[in-house]
Amino acid sequence: GAGVSQTPSNKVTEKGKYVELRCDPISGHTALYWYRQSLGQGPEFLIYFQGTGAADDSGLPNDRFFAVRPEGSVSTLKIQRTERGDSAVYLCASSSRGGSDTQYFGPGTRLTVL
Amino acid sequence: AQSVTQLDSHVSVSEGTPVLLRCNYSSSYSPSLFWYVQHPNKGLQLLLKYTSAATLVKGINGFEAEFKKSETSFHLTKPSAHMSDAAEYFCVVSDFGNEKLTFGTGTRLTIIP
């Protein structure tokens, strides 16, 4: 079956611009996660959705970062006033119900801020 | 608080020889522990996970890991390395009741022909 998909696969933008990154989870999965992976590092947690609501956004680095999941399926990560330090691979994962259910990862979006 | 330490940033082994990737964890509660693999230009794939059942966990592609509470370790092993095992491996911890995964910094495994 289809896995987690993310678009675009690559995004190049200029400092100060606004970007949106999209995640399509596995159909029927209620839990959705965003992580960020900087070069040479392991992924770091950003935010977790259960259904439409953000159950844990403790990993968002500052108020320039925001994520939504309005219908409990597709999610969009939004970054305002991008900075060069935002350059990273943004990963999305989904799991069936959350908790100890396995998280399945998408291929990621590589964001480059010039 | 939960954290993991991967003791080696790079490991090189010859094809057909055993693989050992070391991981130590810190967790306030009963942890779930995972190993994920990341091949170049591919997504993270779950190799195996421990969630308080048997302490010896078998995963895909011949990998296994042993949960040792007394040593706070969760080392990954494979008896015989294959060229296709070359990848980045991440040890991951999640506290009981905590949704977020905490990743180690990764170990790059190189297989020498």
Side-chain angles (χ1 to χ4, degrees), chain A residues 44-105:
Chain A
E44 293 179 308
F45 170 81
L46 295 177
I47 187 170
Y48 154 60
F49 287 89
Q50 183 58 256
T52 61
D56 183 353
D57 64 356
S58 62
L60 294 178
N62 52 60
D63 61 5
R64 295 186 298 105
F65 288 75
F66 190 70
V68 296
R69 195 185 185 201
E71 297 178 358
S73 179
V74 170
S75 177
T76 305
L77 179 66
K78 308 181 181 196
I79 310 175
Q80 299 177 323
R81 305 183 304 280
T82 52
E83 300 177 356
R84 292 193 180 89
D86 299 335
S87 296
V89 176
Y90 289 81
L91 297 168
C92 178
S94 71
S95 75
S96 180
R97 295 160 299 175
S100 62
D101 288 351
T102 298
Q103 294 184 27
Y104 296 90
F105 283 80

Side-chain angles (χ1 to χ4, degrees), chain A residues 103 105, chain B residues 34-37 44-46 88-90 92 101:
Chain A
Q103 294 184 27
F105 283 80
Chain B
F34 312 78
W35 278 95
Y36 277 83
V37 61
L44 286 159
Q45 180 183 22
L46 180 68
E88 187 88 18
Y89 291 79
F90 292 96
V92 184
L101 302 179

